[in-house]
Amino acid sequence: MNRARTARIGMILLFALLLSACGDSGQTPGEQTNGGEEDQAQAEETATWRFALEEVEGSVQDAYAREFKRRIEERSDGAIEIEIYPYGALGTSSQLTEMAQGGGIELTFASPGHLADLIPEVGVFTLHFVLSEHNEVNREVLSDDAIYTLFQPLYNDQDLQLLDIVPEGWMVWSGNKPLRTLDDFEDFRIRTMTSPILVESYRAYGANPTPMPYSEVYSGLQLGQIDGQVNPIFAIEEMSFYEEQDYLTSGRHAQFISTLAASRQWFDSLSEQQQTMVLEVRDELVDWIDEEQIQFNEERRQIILDQGGTEWVELTDEEREAFREASMGVRDTYIEQTGETGQEILDTLLKRIGQAEAEMEGEDEDES
Ligand code: 6CS
């Protein structure tokens, strides 16, 4: 499986170059160079938006992209066609971001676990014990304009437009032993995404973090280059990581967050009406994708457990507390790396989460 995927990555780069070349040619998305006048007229009527995923078909990002495509195509009445490129078709996460920056593709998912290489401030979403344990709180805070306002200039500086911040479920640690304590993490070679702040999160637990692209994780586990990895359950199932691991430990330490980014140059070139349509569909998908990801993660967990050979371990509150304490110093490292902007982002996020949790608890009390 992995060899095939690695071979596809080679093809990607070639394809990526071709796409970038199209982007540089001055064509607008959907324009075609061949065909007669009829083809030309047709091409001018239909714009093609290329949407790249960091995940394979059947994933949370794929579900999002398909629903986004369905709604945009329906609403644009045939004027827009969306082409979805699953992971392996175009490139690694970092390569997809580069392509969107250059206008080679219009839309891409860009997860902070990789994107923080380029925009360190998004590393806030890889810090542990920052987000709420309640999905509805995270959903509300992550779709809040105040949060977008803080991030948008950072994306814009990198020729990107931030469209959405999408939670994809709780991160789970996989390994050939349960990971209940900091001692269990001692020198444990855990694969992480590539962002430096994520690496710090696992150093703080005493582990030996090993960053690598998503496509290399399965063979890394198979060849014993790493002892374990961390991802949401749906990904552990669809990428077959569980086949190489005996234990899945759930510490509910962080949600996997991705962001939906557009090429800034492309987004700016859209009509006001089209921009509004994109943002409306984005708003409609906040609840929709959250319900999907919850279902995906529950179903995939069951699929893994039904196959046998993998044990599920849930940390107690006391066990979680040790990790929470160990994780706090990494917030200082994040602020050292990101300065005042990072400080403002972290403070705003924590404040908004606190407020939303207090409101939710108030509502619960009113109802009882
Ligand atoms: O671990 C990773 O690298 C990837 N994990 C998921 C669930 N999505 C995309 C990301 O690149």
Side-chain angles (χ1 to χ4, degrees):
M1 177 194 75
N2 197 59
R3 235 174 279 144
R5 226 166 239 150
T6 311
R8 278 207 300 273
I9 299 267
M11 283 169 59
I12 301 170
L13 299 177
L14 192 62
F15 192 50
L17 280 173
L18 290 172
L19 282 175
S20 303
C22 284
D24 290 345
S25 70
Q27 286 177 260
T28 55
E31 269 185 343
Q32 293 167 11
T33 48
N34 55 357
E37 272 173 34
E38 210 173 283
D39 285 350
Q40 185 68 28
Q42 173 80 32
E44 273 164 17
E45 276 165 27
T46 309
T48 303
W49 296 358
R50 292 160 295 195
F51 191 157
L53 312 182
E54 302 168 294
E55 292 169 6
V56 296
E57 272 178 41
S59 61
V60 171
Q61 292 186 4
D62 186 44
Y64 187 107
R66 284 169 189 265
E67 191 59 20
F68 184 87
K69 168 183 167 75
R70 193 184 69 73
R71 294 185 191 217
I72 293 279
E73 288 183 352
E74 194 178 281
R75 223 162 285 194
S76 73
D77 212 9
I80 297 161
E81 182 195 17
I82 297 189
E83 283 172 2
I84 300 172
Y85 295 90
Y87 191 62
L90 295 182
T92 62
S93 300
S94 308
Q95 288 163 344
L96 299 180
T97 300
E98 274 174 40
M99 288 168 71
Q101 286 177 293
I105 53 175
E106 286 71 33
L107 296 152
T108 187
F109 272 104
S111 296
H114 298 289
L115 186 64
D117 289 345
L118 187 70
I119 307 177
E121 291 83 352
V122 297
V124 75
F125 294 122
T126 68
L127 294 176
H128 297 180
F129 300 98
V130 167
L131 289 181
S132 171
E133 285 199 51
H134 305 284
N135 281 314
E136 55 274 45
V137 167
N138 295 330
R139 209 190 291 188
E140 182 188 325
V141 173
L142 296 177
S143 56
D144 188 330
D145 276 347
I147 303 295
Y148 282 86
T149 309
L150 289 169
F151 283 109
Q152 199 61 274
L154 306 171
Y155 276 67
N156 287 170
D157 283 352
Q158 294 298 337
D159 297 324
L160 296 168
Q161 182 78 16
L162 172 64
L163 294 180
D164 207 353
I165 304 174
V166 184
E168 297 191 21
W170 288 110
M171 293 289 244
V172 171
W173 299 314
S174 73
N176 284 332
K177 60 177 185 181
L179 293 158
R180 285 191 174 280
T181 64
L182 293 171
D183 279 349
D184 293 332
F185 267 100
E186 198 60 42
D187 292 331
F188 185 79
R189 290 168 306 166
I190 188 163
R191 177 269 172 176
T192 64
M193 289 177 275
T194 51
S195 117
I197 194 72
L198 195 48
V199 170
E200 289 309 318
S201 289
Y202 285 95
R203 283 216 179 102
Y205 295 163
N208 181 358
T210 312
M212 58 172 66
Y214 201 31
S215 54
E216 291 171 23
V217 180
Y218 187 84
S219 63
L221 291 170
Q222 218 174 21
L223 299 173
Q225 292 162 334
I226 45 175
D227 301 316
Q229 61 82 48
V230 49
N231 254 306
I233 278 289
F234 81 86
I236 294 174
E237 193 275 328
E238 73 192 7
M239 298 298 280
S240 308
F241 300 154
Y242 71 97
E243 289 176 2
E244 299 295 322
Q245 305 267 263
D246 296 336
Y247 292 89
L248 299 177
T249 304
S250 167
R252 284 168 293 117
H253 61 285
Q255 282 269 328
F256 181 88
I257 301 291
S258 193
T259 71
L260 174 60
S263 149
R264 183 183 181 191
Q265 176 201 358
W266 166 76
F267 190 76
D268 286 348
S269 75
L270 295 180
S271 66
E272 215 181 303
Q273 198 190 7
Q274 285 182 332
Q275 288 185 352
T276 307
M277 177 174 66
V278 168
L279 297 180
E280 277 173 5
V281 169
R282 180 274 308 269
D283 289 345
E284 290 166 12
L285 289 187
V286 170
D287 288 350
W288 186 89
I289 195 60
D290 207 41
E291 280 154 24
E292 285 287 296
Q293 68 85 0
I294 291 168
Q295 200 182 330
F296 268 53
N297 283 299
E298 277 171 10
E299 284 173 4
R300 306 283 175 94
R301 190 179 87 102
Q302 209 46 55
I303 291 173
I304 296 176
L305 298 184
D306 286 350
Q307 290 189 31
T310 316
E311 210 169 299
W312 179 258
V313 178
E314 192 96 38
L315 296 196
T316 62
D317 287 348
E318 206 182 330
E319 286 168 333
R320 286 182 77 219
E321 210 39 49
F323 288 102
R324 183 197 299 276
E325 273 171 31
S327 74
M328 287 301 145
V330 186
R331 297 186 185 185
D332 298 333
T333 312
Y334 168 75
I335 288 160
E336 276 161 28
Q337 289 178 2
T338 56
E340 277 176 27
T341 316
Q343 177 88 63
E344 194 186 356
I345 287 172
L346 180 59
D347 290 348
T348 310
L349 206 51
L350 291 171
K351 190 169 150 210
R352 286 292 295 112
I353 289 165
Q355 285 168 341
E357 282 181 338
E359 277 164 28
M360 192 190 72
E361 278 155 23
E363 279 165 22
D364 287 349
E365 272 170 30
D366 288 349
E367 278 165 24
S368 60

